[in-house]
Amino acid sequence: MTLTDLFASTTQMNPQAIALSQAAGPAQPRRTLTYEAADRAIQRTMDHLLDLGLRPGEIVLVSMASTMEAPVAILAALRAGFTPCLVPVTVTLDEAASVVSAVPARAIVTTGAIGPLRPVEVLRAAAASSGGPRFVLAFGERLPAGVIPLDDVLIRSADTGFEPVDAGMPQRPPAVLTVERRAGRILVHRHEQSNLVAASLLTVLRSGMASAEPVLSTLSLMSLAGLVTGLGPCLLTAGTLALEPLFTTASFLASLSAHPRLHVVVPGALEGPLAESGLSASVSIASALLLHRQGVRLDRVPGLPAARFPVVDALAVGERTLLVEARGEDRRPALRLGTIRIPDDIGAIVVAARRHEDGQLDVGGVTVSTRLDENLRSDPEAFVGTGCSVTVDETQRILSVRN
């Protein structure tokens, strides 16, 4: 099962359901795309890439903000059989050059501007200085000369007369690459689509997501965490992915009011503000997933004792994997060392975590990535080191993770 399989299934069964939603700005209606319209946008983006002469298996750099164009670009690359390499829009010129040097990409799909950021200019300059991709495609206005504009794929996506598209996938589905920035190094991770689906299923189960319930994500889709807490769960449940391009309290509250019941995905640092705002008592929130990263002290999080909905903690171990667990009655983070299987007890190991004798965190399971500078693991359930130290209590509850 792949991400493109899941999208195609919902498009066939319910083409008029809302697939993507995006805050458009103060006093402006939200932008939305149905599964039918998104399918057309994906197909047209894919056609642009194929017109460049790219072949299945080749790599396309994708660097997008949290807009509807991001999942369109990712799914277009996958549908065409290309391997998308997801690059954060915040990369510096030096970091972008390192990515271009490490990944033999043939094309770049990005955006013109996000606030003060100009991803198209950064990536184009990196490609020019490193002999990287010749082709640069971008969404947005006022694009530099020589950049292929993509805005027409969304403008024309409202055509009527839906016809299912034959994706023409290769025998082996392409993987997804993500970029980790650590201690001045660029590390590129490979994720098989089936493993992303497994990680997304864990999010669905821990968050209690039901069919067609929307997910409001404030995370970037240019990361493992963004994919398996937002896009993947929505594709599994045939739901709506609501995105926040530039997060503000006002836009977040407006997004909450736009949906009667939704699952929210936010950085763990927002736990305190959520509690102080009174949103922990909101009846509009079906669940809240809090994303933590290395450096977090889980034993010091403020907690959401008044929450009227399930609270789930997710710990991103770089771009290696994601540990996910729902909180218990004490409303404190319940992430522990151990093994998670789906189905419980008898299924494949989705993710496992242990503390090595030197205090380092090791992870294993099918959702653990392989870096491009590593050999593919013959045993997907074997443990690998993360380069992070972990502290736990007597019940193996994780207290902190540090680089």
Side-chain angles (χ1 to χ4, degrees):
M1 182 64 69
T2 66
L3 298 175
T4 48
D5 290 337
L6 294 171
F7 178 85
S9 176
T10 300
T11 304
Q12 290 272 11
M13 292 188 298
N14 194 4
Q16 294 307 312
I18 300 298
L20 302 169
S21 169
Q22 175 191 323
Q28 296 183 34
R30 294 185 69 85
R31 299 172 62 201
T32 60
L33 279 181
T34 64
Y35 275 88
E36 172 184 346
D39 181 85
R40 293 184 179 279
I42 290 166
Q43 184 64 28
R44 291 194 172 102
T45 305
M46 170 182 157
D47 290 342
H48 276 289
L49 292 169
L50 291 173
D51 287 344
L52 301 177
L54 275 63
R55 295 173 294 181
E58 294 188 309
I59 298 174
V60 175
L61 297 184
V62 178
S63 185
M64 304 291 300
S66 294
T67 63
M68 296 191 300
E69 291 85 353
V72 166
I74 295 169
L75 292 172
L78 292 172
R79 177 181 287 184
F82 307 140
T83 297
C85 177
L86 310 184
V87 182
V89 295
T90 54
V91 290
T92 65
L93 179 57
D94 287 343
E95 290 171 336
S98 295
V99 173
V100 169
S101 298
V103 179
R106 288 288 312 282
I108 296 171
V109 178
T110 185
T111 188
I114 310 133
L117 302 176
R118 297 284 294 175
V120 66
E121 294 181 0
V122 171
L123 289 167
R124 193 174 70 147
S129 65
S130 306
R134 291 175 49 206
F135 306 109
V136 181
L137 306 86
F139 295 91
E141 301 176 349
R142 299 188 299 278
L143 301 176
V147 174
I148 302 170
L150 287 175
D151 274 359
D152 67 310
V153 304
L154 292 183
I155 294 171
R156 297 169 57 204
S157 66
D159 293 354
T160 58
F162 170 69
E163 295 179 5
V165 176
D166 180 5
M169 288 289 292
Q171 287 188 343
R172 181 179 176 84
V176 176
L177 306 181
T178 60
V179 173
E180 178 182 358
R181 295 176 284 183
R182 178 185 288 197
R185 298 175 60 202
I186 292 293
L187 306 174
V188 182
H189 293 255
R190 177 187 176 91
H191 312 269
E192 300 298 335
Q193 285 191 71
S194 58
N195 299 344
L196 293 174
V197 172
S200 300
L201 179 58
L202 180 59
T203 298
V204 169
L205 295 175
R206 293 297 186 263
S207 299
M209 295 181 184
S211 177
E213 288 185 334
V215 175
L216 171 60
S217 178
T218 64
L219 305 183
S220 167
L221 291 181
M222 302 296 108
S223 67
L224 171 64
L227 287 176
V228 303
T229 63
L231 179 60
C234 285
L235 295 178
L236 277 167
T237 60
T240 300
L241 177 59
L243 296 164
E244 292 289 319
L246 294 172
F247 177 80
T248 65
T249 302
S251 67
F252 184 73
L253 293 175
S255 296
L256 284 178
S257 64
H259 301 278
R261 178 177 171 82
L262 78 175
H263 301 268
V264 299
V265 180
V266 298
L270 291 183
E271 181 170 356
L274 277 176
E276 295 169 3
S277 69
L279 285 175
S280 58
S282 172
V283 296
S284 297
I285 299 178
S287 74
L289 184 145
L290 304 170
L291 178 74
H292 311 279
R293 297 189 181 275
Q294 298 108 303
V296 67
R297 289 291 303 267
L298 292 173
D299 57 336
R300 295 184 179 179
V301 300
L304 288 170
R308 300 172 60 179
F309 44 80
V311 178
V312 179
D313 292 286
L315 174 62
V317 186
E319 292 293 310
R320 275 290 189 194
T321 192
L322 211 65
L323 307 179
V324 183
E325 192 54 77
R327 296 186 181 181
E329 293 182 359
D330 64 357
R331 313 305 273 172
R332 308 295 298 180
L335 292 164
R336 284 181 168 82
L337 302 183
T339 299
I340 296 175
R341 297 178 182 268
I342 297 178
D344 290 342
D345 301 326
I346 61 173
I349 297 177
V350 175
V351 64
R354 71 182 184 189
R355 187 175 185 268
H356 195 265
E357 59 186 16
D358 62 0
Q360 298 293 299
L361 176 65
D362 294 341
V363 292
V366 298
T367 62
V368 174
S369 70
T370 300
R371 292 207 317 249
L372 292 193
D373 59 349
E374 299 172 336
N375 295 324
L376 290 175
R377 291 179 295 148
S378 57
D379 179 4
E381 296 182 354
F383 282 93
V384 296
T386 64
C388 301
S389 62
V390 60
T391 58
V392 298
D393 66 11
E394 63 278 3
T395 69
Q396 300 300 296
R397 185 187 297 227
I398 297 174
L399 302 178
S400 67
V401 177
R402 298 178 181 176
N403 288 327

